[in-house]
Amino acid sequence: MDGLTDLWDRLLGAQPDPPPLLVLITGLVALTVVLTRLPWRIGRNAITIAHEGGHALAALLTGRRLQGIRLHSDTSGLTLSAGRPTGPGMVFTLLAGYLAPSLIGLAGAWVLGGNRITLLLWVAVALLLAMLVMIRNVFGIVSIVVTTAVVLGVSWMASPQVQAAFAYTGVWFLLLGGVRPVGELQTLRRRGQLPQSDADQLAWLTRVPGLVWVGLFGAINLIALLAGAALLTGPILSTASLPG
């Protein structure tokens, strides 16, 4: 019983405030990954996991039947669901993909604002395990298992300082990394290389031009980035503004 209580306290307890320098450095690290070619090529797999997870969750919430998720080595992905090919459920499912990384990052920033670092990591593990049962290809299984193992290992064995650095870097990366794919999407659309993109499927369903959907993705993700950054840096700014 005491062990269960200790585990519960560890999960829900608040950790100490991270050093302001850690918050800033982790943000710079995440920004460097997003802006640098090879690190982005590797890190983008995490964005794809969040993207496809967003499609999957939206499909379930709208009553569609989730059939499977595939993650590919080129950082693309595919989520298949069964149900009406038109209507609000399909629109919401398509809309969720490009928004998911940024919105997950915003939710993570809110949790970190309460210093619930361990809780954030364990929720991430739970979501990854839930997603694992729907993966339908080998690369996808390996990606989810490796990512889950890393997050679980940090949450269980790492020091509070390492947990904080890992969690803040991850949340910054989702917030910043959620913006770049929207620009990449429009670049590929302009070249005619992505005719079946989420934005173009939404355009077909709603008769609203695909460019409008791309703009909506970008606007929401930028708002999430600004709001998330405010949550993450708020304690720093409030401390700096205190007299003396």
Side-chain angles (χ1 to χ4, degrees):
M1 188 66 178
D2 289 340
L4 183 60
T5 302
D6 291 341
L7 183 63
W8 190 253
D9 290 341
R10 179 178 179 183
L11 177 61
L12 297 181
Q15 285 73 45
D17 289 333
L21 187 59
L22 180 144
V23 178
L24 297 177
I25 289 176
T26 53
L28 290 174
V29 169
L31 180 61
T32 301
V33 172
V34 171
L35 296 179
T36 308
R37 184 174 180 179
L38 181 58
W40 170 246
R41 175 68 177 74
I42 298 170
R44 200 185 194 285
N45 287 287
I47 300 297
T48 301
I49 290 172
H51 179 113
E52 300 305 328
H55 282 316
L57 179 60
L60 292 173
L61 290 176
T62 56
R64 298 180 63 82
R65 188 169 66 257
L66 186 60
Q67 295 179 316
I69 303 169
R70 300 177 71 89
L71 305 172
H72 303 133
S73 59
D74 63 356
T75 72
S76 65
L78 178 65
T79 299
L80 296 175
S81 62
R84 287 185 57 196
T86 59
M90 192 64 200
V91 170
F92 185 56
T93 298
L94 288 168
L95 183 63
Y98 277 96
L99 302 182
S102 295
L103 295 181
I104 293 171
L106 179 58
W110 178 75
V111 175
L112 288 181
N115 289 338
R116 298 306 198 274
I117 296 171
T118 302
L119 176 63
L120 174 67
L121 296 176
W122 284 28
V123 168
V125 169
L127 292 174
L128 287 165
L129 290 175
M131 189 173 177
L132 178 61
V133 300
M134 296 307 302
I135 300 295
R136 296 293 183 263
N137 67 321
V138 174
F139 181 82
I141 292 173
V142 172
S143 295
I144 296 294
V145 168
V146 170
T147 304
T148 303
V150 171
V151 178
L152 183 60
V154 170
S155 68
W156 192 256
M157 295 184 291
S159 66
Q161 294 78 11
V162 172
Q163 287 188 22
F166 183 84
Y168 273 87
T169 302
V171 168
W172 275 119
F173 180 70
L174 287 170
L175 291 169
L176 293 162
V179 176
R180 177 168 174 173
V182 178
E184 295 174 341
L185 166 64
Q186 183 54 28
T187 298
L188 292 173
R189 292 184 68 251
R190 188 171 61 249
R191 296 173 181 171
Q193 296 176 336
L194 206 61
Q196 294 299 315
S197 71
D198 293 350
D200 290 290
Q201 292 183 66
L202 284 165
W204 181 82
L205 286 170
T206 64
R207 306 306 175 193
V208 176
L211 184 59
V212 174
W213 290 108
V214 175
L216 181 64
F217 295 158
I220 292 176
N221 289 357
L222 284 172
I223 292 171
L225 170 59
L226 293 174
L231 288 169
L232 294 174
T233 61
I236 299 175
L237 298 176
S238 62
T239 300
S241 64
L242 291 176

